[in-house]
């Protein structure tokens, strides 16, 4: 039996709450007859489930017609994970965070010689998992800084080939904030792997500038303010890119 679940998203001031259907309206193959409804569900509950949605919500189906590679980029502490988790409440995608792989081997450092030597292998594994999911028709959200990589033609061409091979859409969102906010976040979260960054702040910012140029279409989101509007803007951007002709 397929369970019918709904969640709510607060979108700015336009509509205080909007119901987001999770299964019935996502997969075209699932008709209302296929979903077994709770016979005890009240008429009022059924009316509430048909509450008016945000204007981007009906377009969510389109995201699942073609796999999409969603890059959530930005330096450590820029708010990538917070934004990614909010997006994933409303967009079906496989979630991949490079830290989940790296922490199994180097939980306390991102600057040691041993880590730097292994770093290409971690990213190779990450991209392999990404590609296999895209081939299966799944969208993938990569919560990865990609600050060093985006500055090289080699990486940019690699990403273009990846989405071309898998017939996926490429969507990029860059999180940024003030240096003061960034420092405060890294200090507050207390991760040991951030200690080098805090002790060598100027060097860290030279190596990973907050506002590094990104030479392809993307959305910049200032995570230091307006969190609700940021979520709405991110979802709208994803859907607008998915609608673009492939190629």
């Amino acid at each position: 039996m397929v369970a019918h679940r709904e969640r709510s998203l607060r979108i700015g001031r336009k509509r205080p709450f909007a119901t987001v259907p999770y299964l019935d309206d996502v997969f075209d193959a699932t008709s209302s007859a296929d979903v077994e409804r709770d016979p005890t569900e009240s008429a009022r509950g059924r009316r509430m489930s048909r509450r008016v949605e945000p204007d981007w919500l009906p377009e969510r189906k389109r995201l699942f017609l073609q796999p999409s590679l969603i890059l959530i980029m930005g330096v450590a502490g820029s708010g990538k994970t917070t934004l990614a988790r909010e997006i994933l409440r409303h967009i079906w995608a496989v979630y991949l965070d490079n830290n989940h792989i790296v922490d199994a081997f180097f939980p306390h450092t991102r600057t040691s010689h041993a880590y730097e030597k292994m770093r290409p292998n971690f990213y190779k594994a990450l991209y392999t998992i990404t590609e296999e999911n895209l081939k299966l028709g799944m969208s993938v959200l990569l919560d990865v800084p990609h600050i060093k990589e985006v500055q090289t033609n080699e990486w940019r061409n690699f990403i273009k080939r990846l989405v071309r091979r898998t017939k996926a859409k490429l969507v990029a969102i860059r999180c940024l904030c003030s240096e003061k906010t960034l420092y405060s976040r890294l200090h507050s979260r207390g991760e040991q792997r951030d200690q080098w960054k805090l002790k060598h702040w100027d060097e860290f910012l030279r190596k990973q500038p907050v506002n590094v140029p990104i030479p392809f279409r993307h959305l910049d989101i200032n995570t230091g303010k307006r969190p609700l509007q940021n979520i709405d803007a991110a979802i709208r951007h994803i859907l607008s890119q998915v609608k673009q002709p492939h190629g």
Side-chain angles (χ1 to χ4, degrees):
M1 178 180 73
V2 180
H4 177 67
R5 299 186 292 115
E6 296 181 349
R7 295 182 184 176
S8 295
L9 169 67
R10 189 187 296 267
I11 300 293
R13 298 179 180 177
K14 295 181 180 179
R15 296 186 175 96
F17 291 95
T19 301
V20 180
Y22 264 55
L23 289 180
D24 293 7
D25 295 330
V26 171
F27 299 104
D28 291 335
T30 303
S31 68
S32 58
D34 296 324
V35 180
E36 182 178 338
R37 298 188 180 279
D38 187 345
T40 65
E41 182 185 17
S42 67
R44 179 175 180 272
R46 289 193 293 273
R47 287 196 299 272
M48 290 181 67
S49 70
R50 293 191 292 271
R51 196 179 309 176
V52 176
E53 297 93 350
D55 56 11
W56 49 259
L57 184 57
E59 298 179 4
R60 289 176 67 249
K61 293 181 181 179
R62 300 180 187 174
L63 187 60
F64 296 93
L65 296 178
Q66 181 179 24
S68 302
L69 174 56
I70 305 168
L71 303 178
I72 306 297
M73 309 166 66
V75 299
S78 60
K80 297 186 303 299
T81 299
T82 299
L83 180 65
R85 288 175 176 172
E86 288 298 326
I87 291 172
L88 289 168
R89 292 180 60 224
H90 310 286
I91 300 292
W92 285 95
V94 174
Y95 175 64
L96 295 177
D97 180 339
N98 63 313
N99 289 320
H100 295 161
I101 298 176
V102 178
D103 283 350
F105 302 89
F106 299 97
H108 305 309
T109 181
R110 295 296 186 269
T111 55
S112 69
H113 175 71
Y115 164 74
E116 291 293 343
K117 185 177 180 180
M118 288 291 294
R119 188 175 185 272
N121 295 322
F122 295 141
Y123 276 76
K124 182 178 180 181
L126 190 71
Y127 296 137
T128 298
I129 296 170
T130 296
E131 181 166 0
E132 292 306 311
N133 277 281
L134 290 172
K135 287 178 179 178
L136 290 171
M138 300 294 295
S139 291
V140 177
L141 186 150
L142 281 182
D143 177 0
V144 181
H146 282 141
I147 298 301
K148 297 178 181 178
E149 290 75 14
V150 76
Q151 301 178 63
T152 68
N153 285 326
E154 181 182 4
W155 180 82
R156 295 195 296 265
N157 290 332
F158 166 77
I159 290 296
K160 290 178 182 178
R161 291 194 301 270
L162 174 60
V163 295
R164 192 177 300 120
R165 284 197 305 271
T166 56
K167 299 180 181 179
K169 283 293 182 180
L170 176 62
V171 183
I173 298 175
R174 189 254 301 275
C175 295
L176 43 75
C177 60
S178 69
E179 294 180 8
K180 180 179 180 181
T181 299
L182 187 67
Y183 188 94
S184 177
R185 288 174 178 172
L186 292 177
H187 184 270
S188 297
R189 72 186 190 182
E191 295 284 353
Q192 188 169 341
R193 64 173 180 260
D194 293 330
Q195 294 307 304
W196 183 92
K197 304 180 184 77
L198 296 171
K199 291 178 181 178
H200 304 84
W201 188 243
D202 291 339
E203 183 180 353
F204 166 64
L205 291 179
R206 282 196 301 271
K207 290 183 175 180
Q208 299 200 38
V210 174
N211 201 16
V212 63
I214 299 178
F216 50 78
R217 182 179 295 181
H218 67 283
L219 173 69
D220 279 337
I221 286 189
N222 185 342
T223 60
K225 55 184 179 181
R226 303 186 307 170
L228 298 178
Q229 290 88 338
N230 286 343
I231 298 166
D232 184 52
I235 295 175
R236 291 178 186 275
H237 176 68
I238 292 170
L239 297 178
S240 71
Q241 296 305 295
V242 170
K243 290 193 298 183
Q244 296 297 317
H246 183 62

